[in-house]
């Protein structure tokens, strides 16, 4: 059954055209004589081919509608789609499908066959009304041409009525082929009443048939094609969670959507066709509000504000309302579209409204939509005078904001975009709307985890490292292991100076300038005091004492105090980690690009920041401290708790005792700059700001440098220098430097990388144990020592935090050895994971 594949002319189906014509733009046949008998004689009318493939572009429609263009071949290469613009929608149209209903083959039916083939339409021919309907119900043709000349074969008007009885024919164009009328004034009304769109007076001339088809395609058929797309728009309206009401220019209700019905308690049938005035009004609106709204929208302006509506059950409901006039016939306002969203506090009694609200909260798209609307309420013009008190307040505070002389850069940006939107075409304005939506969110740099990222290891790491106060829960107080700063334990034997460093330790530190330096050997050799020894050596290499004008003994004492305030009981956040970060920092500082960018004061700040950056770390994450309501979380308002503490404590410890005050001899202004730089770098290690720092670095440094490199030429050296050394960019370089040093363990040689992974995992496990013990929320459930896959957690950590950051840092500082290690290490973890192993190392053979 079906009409797609028949080849021969039968009672059922004739053929499908689609053969490529030589030149579809200029018909070869320009014969103007009427071919009454056999139109095929001497003409390129071939027995029809039934190939469906090989559709070619239809004749050019240039000049017909500038927005409607031919698009290229589809990927299958079989069908050429035509692009059709419908308002802001871009549609693609398949080649036309034509159904010819002719009881007998004659020159007229052949003429249309030929014309279809020439125009590359898909064409089916049937002989009887039954087959016509059957074929139509299968293919839903765009155009049906019915032979109306011979009533003895079938009743064409009855057939047309039958077509119209089928729902899907609503947008089908049906043409009647009629005999040349005896009287010119013969009425077309019977045809129109039967459901025909058009009459074609028999004319077998091939060009006449062809031209008729082209006119139909570009006229009526295309209009119907666009109308069909309104199904999508109606679907959007029906699905919307906002209550939507459309009225005519004289405020007769034309449409309400299901959300409107459920919020207001009316059925569509009770409202459609009624004037708005007939619907009971709420007495809660200020008396002149309706007048204000009307005077605004009648001028063609949008009105937005707060409005009370009365529901069918008599309850009042406060809504955020936006009414937009829509221009229609005659260039006049023909509709008003009102979009209404109940305000939370006023619909407590309304279950359905609550439901709509709740649903919209769970839907990311509608939340975004809601935010955008809220945003546009805040910033864009509120066109009403807003007789409602809150709207008045809002309006005046907006006026204040606009008249403020001190403008934040983001406000300037938003204002510039708003202005640009006013003179932009619709697609640009809409794109800018989306830009504004993004700009108005505070988390500009934090990627949102999409479904593809919803690996529990990633989401736990992200949740655990990138949130703090948000997860705060009141609960047991976490007592910091170290409540008072540690003073230097006197019994510790300390090196007197660099020259006094025991040979075994000195030897261990010989390769300290290599990236592959083994910090754990130094940890062992120094009995867990690697920071003091490595600090002495590295600070000396960089001439820190000279810069600070401080005796080496002060530096030594300072290093000892700092190291003593790291918790050796932490498996990861102990002084070995600080020494490791110091090592990485020194390594990065010796890279050419970094040297070009930074001043000596920046280098000294970076070394100090690395040394102190995790001081007094309790071995628990910020989220944990916030959840536990720890003293520190309270002190720092659940915000960058640990990082704030590290920076603050470092300065307290440094300045409280002259003996270890390395800043004692520097000038006040220099101290202030140094202090500012150290604080900024320590705070930059906070993971909630990870993507912000990386993105800023890429945008302000990587991208401009790459662009300059592409242009090449020595004339750009100055520009390169200015990018590298501008004060803003030096800050970004320093932040990126300490961040990369802080989490560089996945870029260390494999053995070191494995050791670090083991240490951080153990620290996380200990936190989970304690959370369970204390009944606190478990911040990172995947880090449960009984179930955790360490390889998976490392893969997630590398994927999410490390790869992009080190790509950017490598592009800047040129670190091929680190990237090689990263690659190897990643493969190592992948290898274990592929073998479904959860451990740090494979079991012994
Ligand atoms: P910091 O606390 O300053 O060392 O910040 C770095 C963050 O990255 C810490 O929260 C660490 O827990 C986390 N981190 C570092 N290395 C790893 C790793 N290999 N796997 C998972 N998390 C890590
Ligand atoms: Zn750290």
């Amino acid at each position: 059954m079906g009409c797609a594949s028949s080849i021969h002319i039968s009672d059922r189906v004739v053929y499908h055209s689609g053969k490529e014509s030589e030149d579809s733009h200029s018909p070869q046949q320009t014969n103007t004589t009427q071919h009454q008998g056999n139109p095929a004689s001497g003409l390129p009318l071939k027995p029809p081919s039934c190939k469906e493939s090989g559709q070619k572009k239809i004749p050019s429609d240039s000049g017909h509608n500038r927005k409607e263009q031919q698009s290229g071949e589809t990927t299958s290469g079989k069908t050429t789609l035509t692009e059709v613009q419908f308002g802001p929608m871009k549609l693609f149209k398949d080649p036309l499908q034509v159904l010819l209903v002719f009881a007998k083959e004659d020159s007229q039916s052949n003429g249309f066959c030929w014309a279809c083939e020439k125009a590359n339409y898909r064409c089916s021919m049937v002989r009887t009304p039954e087959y016509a309907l059957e074929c139509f119900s299968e293919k839903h043709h765009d155009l049906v041409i019915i032979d109306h000349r011979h009533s003895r074969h079938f009743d064409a008007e009855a057939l047309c009525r039958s077509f119209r009885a089928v729902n899907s024919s609503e947008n089908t164009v049906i043409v009647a082929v009629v005999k040349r009328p005896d009287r010119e004034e013969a009425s077309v009304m019977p045809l129109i009443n039967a459901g025909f769109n058009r009459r074609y007076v028999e004319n077998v001339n091939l060009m006449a048939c062809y031209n008729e088809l082209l006119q139909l395609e570009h006229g009526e058929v295309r209009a119907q094609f666009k109308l069909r797309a309104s199904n999508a728009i109606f679907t959007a309206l029906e699905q919307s969670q906002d209550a939507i009401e459309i009225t005519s220019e004289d405020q007769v209700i034309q449409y309400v959507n299901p959300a409107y019905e459920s919020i207001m308690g009316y059925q569509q049938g009770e409202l459609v066709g009624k004037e708005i005035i007939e619907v009971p009004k709420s007495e809660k609106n200020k008396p002149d509000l309706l007048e204000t709204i009307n005077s605004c929208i009648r001028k063609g302006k949008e009105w937005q504000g707060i409005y009370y509506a009365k529901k069918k059950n008599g309850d009042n409901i406060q809504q955020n309302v936006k009414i937009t006039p829509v221009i229609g016939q005659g260039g006049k306002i023909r509709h008003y579209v009102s979009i209404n969203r109940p305000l939370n506090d006023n619909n407590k009694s309304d279950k359905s409204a609550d439901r709509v609200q709740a649903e919209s909260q769970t839907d990311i798209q509608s939340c975004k939509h809601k935010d955008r609307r809220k945003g546009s309420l805040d910033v864009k013009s509120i066109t009403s005078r807003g007789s409602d008190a809150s709207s008045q307040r809002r309006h005046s505070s907006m006026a204040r904001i606009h008249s403020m002389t001190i403008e934040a850069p983001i406000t300037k940006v938003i204002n510039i975009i708003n202005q640009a939107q006013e003179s932009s075409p619709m697609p640009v304005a809409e794109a800018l709307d989306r830009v504004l939506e993004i700009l108005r969110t505070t988390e500009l740099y934090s990627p949102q985890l999409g479904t593809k990222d919803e690996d529990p290891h990633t989401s736990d790491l992200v949740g655990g490292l990138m949130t703090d106060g948000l997860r705060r829960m009141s609960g047991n107080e976490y007592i910091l292991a170290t409540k008072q700063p540690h003073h230097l334990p006197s019994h510790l034997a300390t090196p007197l100076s660099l020259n006094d460093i025991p040979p075994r330790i000195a030897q261990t530190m010989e390769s300290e300038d290599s990236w592959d330096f083994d910090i754990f050997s130094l940890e062992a050799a120094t009995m867990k005091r690697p920071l003091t020894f490595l600090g002495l050596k590295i600070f000396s290499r960089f001439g820190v004492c000279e810069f600070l004008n401080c005796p080496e003994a002060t530096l030594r004492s300072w290093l000892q105090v700092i190291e003593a305030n790291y918790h050796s009981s932490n498996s990861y956040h102990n002084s070995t980690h600080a020494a490791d970060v110091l090592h990485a920092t020194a390594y990065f500082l010796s890279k050419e690009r970094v040297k070009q960018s930074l001043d000596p004061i920046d280098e000294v700040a970076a070394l100090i920041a690395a040394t102190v950056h995790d001081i007094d770390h309790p071995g628990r994450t910020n989220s944990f401290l916030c959840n536990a309501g720890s003293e520190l979380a309270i002190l720092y308002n659940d915000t960058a708790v640990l990082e704030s503490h590290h920076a603050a404590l470092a300065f307290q410890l440094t300045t409280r005792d002259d003996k270890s005050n390395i800043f004692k001899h520097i000038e006040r202004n220099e101290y202030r700059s140094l202090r500012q730089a150290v604080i900024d770098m320590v705070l930059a290690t906070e993971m909630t700001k990870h993507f912000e720092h990386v993105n800023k670095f890429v945008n302000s440094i990587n991208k401009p440098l790459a662009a300059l490199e592409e242009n090449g030429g020595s004339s750009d050296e100055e520009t390169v220098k200015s990018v590298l050394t501008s004060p803003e960019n030096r800050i970004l370089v320093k932040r990126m430097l300490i961040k990369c040093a802080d989490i560089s363990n996945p870029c260390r040689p494999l053995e070191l990388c494995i050791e670090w992974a083991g240490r951080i995992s153990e620290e996380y496990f200990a936190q989970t144990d304690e959370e369970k013990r204390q009944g606190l929320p478990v911040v990172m459930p995947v880090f449960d020592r009984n179930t955790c896959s360490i390889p998976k957690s490392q893969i997630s950590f590398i994927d999410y935090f490390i790869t992009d950051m080190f790509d950017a840092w490598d592009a800047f500082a040129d670190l091929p050895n680190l990237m090689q290690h990263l690659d190897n290490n990643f493969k190592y973890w992948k290898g274990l994971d592929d073998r479904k192993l959860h451990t740090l190392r494979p079991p012994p053979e």
Side-chain angles (χ1 to χ4, degrees):
M1 180 83 69
C3 48
S5 53
S6 306
I7 308 170
H8 60 286
I9 298 178
S10 74
D11 272 358
R12 304 190 56 186
V13 176
V14 179
Y15 79 103
H16 298 274
S17 82
K19 194 182 166 301
E20 296 205 353
S21 63
E22 296 299 310
D23 174 7
S24 56
H25 292 254
S26 54
Q28 292 164 16
Q29 173 52 258
T30 52
N31 196 339
T32 51
T33 54
Q34 295 213 351
H35 289 262
Q36 291 294 337
N38 176 9
S41 70
L43 298 175
L45 179 61
K46 303 169 197 129
S49 131
C50 55
K51 270 197 287 175
E52 278 212 323
S53 59
Q55 293 291 326
K56 204 182 164 188
K57 288 177 184 175
I58 58 167
S60 161
D61 61 352
S62 60
H64 175 73
N65 178 346
R66 274 187 301 115
K67 283 192 167 170
E68 297 174 7
Q69 324 153 353
Q70 307 292 335
S71 74
E73 296 257 300
T74 56
T75 43
S76 71
K78 283 190 174 172
T79 308
T80 300
L81 302 176
T82 305
E83 190 182 305
V84 178
Q85 194 74 34
F86 176 40
M89 280 176 100
K90 196 182 285 302
L91 311 171
F92 289 94
K93 194 157 87 52
D94 285 340
L96 213 69
Q97 299 229 46
V98 182
L99 178 63
L100 301 175
V101 191
F102 283 79
K104 287 258 156 45
E105 181 188 351
D106 65 3
S107 48
Q108 185 65 73
S109 66
N110 284 342
F112 279 123
C113 282
W114 177 85
C116 284
E117 184 170 20
K118 179 149 200 65
N120 280 294
Y121 300 157
R122 293 178 177 189
C123 171
S124 315
M125 188 181 295
V126 290
R127 298 287 182 225
T128 66
E130 296 73 39
Y131 288 131
L133 290 166
E134 187 183 314
C135 193
F136 180 78
S137 70
E138 193 177 321
K139 295 221 149 196
H140 308 288
H141 304 79
D142 308 283
L143 176 63
V144 178
I145 300 177
I146 303 177
D147 189 1
H148 187 284
R149 293 167 301 166
H150 312 290
S151 54
R152 67 178 183 281
H153 296 311
F154 56 76
D155 179 347
E157 285 173 23
L159 175 57
C160 187
R161 283 198 184 86
S162 308
F163 269 111
R164 290 304 182 202
V166 179
N167 258 351
S168 59
S169 77
E170 194 185 2
N171 302 106
T172 301
V173 176
I174 309 184
V175 177
V177 178
V178 298
K179 279 197 178 132
R180 186 161 294 281
D182 303 333
R183 296 177 296 119
E184 276 307 317
E185 66 274 19
S187 170
V188 293
M189 266 334 278
L191 295 178
I192 290 175
N193 289 338
F196 284 105
N197 299 83
R198 197 171 157 80
R199 178 180 77 166
Y200 178 79
V201 178
E202 71 177 334
N203 181 350
V204 299
N205 176 276
L206 298 183
M207 279 311 294
C209 295
Y210 180 59
N211 285 338
E212 176 69 14
L213 288 187
L214 292 190
Q215 287 181 63
L216 282 164
E217 140 127 62
H218 290 280
E220 187 100 33
V221 172
R222 185 159 298 192
Q224 292 294 342
F225 175 77
K226 290 181 185 178
L227 265 185
R228 225 172 245 172
S230 48
N231 288 336
I233 300 165
F234 279 121
T235 306
L237 290 174
E238 299 277 301
Q239 304 288 332
S240 169
Q241 289 170 352
D242 285 330
I244 299 173
E245 176 194 55
I246 303 178
T247 62
S248 66
E249 65 270 37
D250 40 12
Q251 310 219 324
V252 174
I253 300 172
Q254 298 175 319
Y255 171 81
V256 294
N257 71 343
Y260 187 101
E261 290 180 306
S262 78
I263 292 170
M264 300 303 293
Y266 286 101
Q267 294 295 305
Q268 220 186 32
E270 296 173 87
L271 295 173
V272 171
K274 287 228 172 85
E275 275 192 58
I276 289 196
I277 333 171
E278 296 173 54
V279 182
K281 295 277 153 310
S282 166
E283 57 295 336
K284 291 187 104 180
N285 295 308
K286 285 269 177 83
D288 66 342
L289 179 60
L290 267 179
E291 215 177 287
T292 309
I293 298 175
N294 283 336
S295 80
C296 172
I297 59 178
R298 293 228 158 94
K299 281 186 213 137
K301 287 189 184 159
E302 186 176 283
W303 182 86
Q304 182 167 344
I306 311 294
Y307 181 81
Y308 282 95
K310 203 176 206 76
K311 297 199 292 186
K312 192 178 175 188
N313 66 7
D315 287 353
N316 288 305
I317 177 166
Q318 198 186 20
Q319 296 180 320
N320 193 345
V321 174
K322 185 172 181 177
I323 306 176
T324 311
V326 179
I327 305 293
Q329 198 181 12
K332 296 190 182 134
I333 296 173
R334 293 295 183 184
H335 313 273
Y336 294 107
V337 174
S338 165
I339 301 181
N340 317 317
R341 175 165 294 194
L343 291 178
N344 269 339
D345 55 352
N346 219 335
N347 59 357
K348 289 175 204 122
S349 59
D350 186 326
K351 293 241 163 39
S352 54
D354 282 342
R355 179 174 56 76
V356 172
Q357 284 285 94
E359 277 169 10
S360 77
Q361 299 299 340
T362 57
D363 178 310
I364 291 169
Q365 282 308 326
S366 18
C367 284
K368 274 190 182 164
H369 180 56
K370 189 173 160 200
D371 285 345
R372 183 164 68 84
R373 294 185 48 183
K374 224 185 324 145
S376 64
L377 185 71
D378 287 345
V379 181
K380 276 185 130 178
S381 62
I382 294 172
T383 37
S384 79
R385 282 187 289 114
S387 53
D388 174 297
S390 76
S391 142
Q392 287 276 22
R393 261 200 318 279
R394 218 182 171 84
H395 191 58
S396 63
S397 73
M398 277 312 300
R400 272 205 314 281
I401 288 171
H402 283 301
S403 64
M404 271 163 76
T405 46
I406 308 165
E407 236 180 353
I410 189 68
T411 317
K412 282 188 190 157
V413 169
I414 290 175
N415 287 343
I416 292 168
I417 295 175
N418 275 331
Q419 272 168 19
Q421 272 185 315
E422 311 223 319
S423 52
S424 304
M426 185 70 109
V428 178
E430 281 174 359
L432 290 175
D433 247 354
R434 289 196 292 280
V435 170
L436 285 174
E437 193 181 316
I438 294 167
L439 284 179
R440 286 189 187 114
T441 66
T442 47
E443 295 304 325
L444 278 182
Y445 293 92
S446 301
Q448 287 158 345
L449 277 185
T451 41
K452 87 175 171 43
D453 297 317
E454 274 168 10
D455 166 61
H457 296 84
T458 310
S459 50
D460 277 11
L461 274 169
V462 172
L465 303 183
M466 295 191 60
T467 60
D468 39 36
L470 291 178
R471 288 171 172 241
R472 190 177 185 284
M473 306 255 298
S474 60
N476 305 341
E477 178 116 336
Y478 177 71
I479 309 293
L480 278 179
T482 315
K483 289 189 116 186
Q484 292 303 315
H486 283 195
H487 292 280
L488 186 60
S490 55
H491 66 275
L492 279 178
T494 55
L496 294 172
S497 93
L498 253 186
N499 302 328
D500 304 326
I501 288 177
R504 206 166 69 86
I505 297 177
Q507 206 185 356
T508 318
M509 291 197 297
E510 260 170 17
S511 61
E512 152 277 310
D513 55 355
S514 151
W515 179 253
D516 295 352
F517 171 65
D518 181 359
I519 193 80
F520 299 113
S521 303
L522 185 65
E523 181 191 60
T526 57
M527 319 260 279
K528 295 196 174 180
R529 287 186 303 131
L531 185 59
T532 304
F533 290 93
L534 190 66
L536 270 177
K537 182 147 192 221
I538 287 177
F539 277 48
S540 146
R541 174 150 69 88
F542 281 85
V544 175
C545 286
E546 289 78 2
F547 182 89
L548 295 174
N549 197 17
C550 90
E552 193 194 88
T554 310
L555 173 66
R556 200 171 55 231
S557 166
W558 179 77
L559 284 167
Q560 287 170 334
V561 172
I562 299 297
E563 181 152 37
N565 279 277
Y566 276 91
H567 301 195
S568 57
S569 54
N570 291 342
S571 55
Y572 179 89
H573 283 104
N574 49 42
S575 73
T576 309
H577 167 62
D580 185 51
V581 176
L582 174 63
H583 175 263
T585 300
Y587 184 81
F588 294 152
L589 286 174
S590 58
K591 291 283 143 187
E592 208 40 51
R593 263 279 169 76
V594 181
K595 283 203 276 192
Q596 284 170 4
S597 172
L598 301 186
D599 287 343
I601 190 171
D602 298 317
E603 294 180 357
V604 171
L607 296 169
I608 295 172
T611 308
V612 303
H613 88 280
D614 272 335
I615 193 167
D616 198 33
H617 197 296
R620 301 289 179 263
T621 61
N622 277 330
S623 312
F624 178 98
L625 299 183
C626 294
N627 286 339
S630 74
E631 273 178 22
L632 280 183
I634 289 167
L635 180 63
Y636 293 110
N637 303 313
D638 291 355
T639 306
V641 174
L642 281 170
E643 293 71 21
S644 303
H645 176 59
H646 303 319
L649 181 63
F651 280 92
Q652 280 172 10
L653 291 174
T654 306
T655 54
R656 70 162 44 167
D657 186 347
D658 279 357
K659 206 163 98 318
S660 43
N661 186 356
I662 52 175
F663 304 130
K664 186 157 185 270
H665 299 292
I666 52 169
E667 204 233 313
R668 176 187 291 268
N669 280 343
E670 198 139 44
Y671 171 67
R672 291 193 63 82
S673 306
L674 196 57
R675 171 171 156 76
Q676 199 173 39
V678 171
I679 293 171
D680 186 79
M681 290 176 80
V682 174
L683 294 184
T685 63
E686 191 210 347
M687 294 299 279
T688 58
K689 296 268 163 54
H690 175 82
F691 292 100
E692 175 172 342
H693 297 317
V694 175
N695 277 307
K696 283 182 175 169
F697 184 84
V698 170
N699 287 327
S700 305
I701 296 173
N702 280 149
K703 286 185 185 170
L705 287 181
L708 288 170
E709 265 162 31
E710 253 171 42
N711 293 340
S714 54
S715 60
D716 278 327
E717 255 170 40
E718 271 308 298
T719 330
V720 171
K721 187 114 189 91
S722 70
V723 172
L724 291 175
T725 57
S726 78
E728 303 81 24
N729 283 356
R730 270 168 42 214
I731 292 175
L732 300 184
V733 170
K734 282 182 284 179
R735 288 178 185 165
M736 186 75 164
L737 185 150
I738 195 162
K739 277 191 62 56
C740 290
D742 192 22
I743 47 179
S744 62
N745 62 72
C747 301
R748 294 287 189 182
L750 180 62
E751 272 311 309
L752 306 182
C753 163
I754 295 174
E755 176 64 25
W756 286 122
R759 291 183 176 207
I760 190 66
S761 303
E762 177 49 41
E763 200 169 290
Y764 288 153
F765 295 157
Q767 174 168 313
T768 304
D769 291 343
E770 185 173 351
E771 284 164 339
K772 288 184 178 171
R773 253 195 330 271
Q774 295 201 16
L776 290 169
V778 177
V779 174
M780 297 182 280
V782 294
F783 286 98
D784 182 316
R785 65 175 74 251
N786 302 312
T787 52
C788 181
S789 160
I790 295 179
K792 271 198 202 306
S793 75
Q794 290 307 299
I795 290 167
S796 295
F797 185 67
I798 293 173
D799 268 343
Y800 201 78
F801 292 107
I802 301 295
T803 308
D804 286 349
M805 182 173 77
F806 273 92
D807 275 345
W809 188 232
D810 170 47
F812 179 77
D814 188 25
L815 305 157
N817 49 338
L818 275 76
M819 301 312 282
Q820 187 59 57
H821 286 314
L822 178 60
D823 204 38
N824 291 347
N825 298 339
F826 186 80
K827 285 186 183 134
Y828 172 80
W829 298 122
K830 266 266 180 239
L832 290 181
D833 187 44
D834 288 346
R835 294 170 61 190
K836 310 245 176 317
L837 295 171
H838 284 190
T839 45
L840 282 174
R841 291 189 173 77
E845 292 287 302

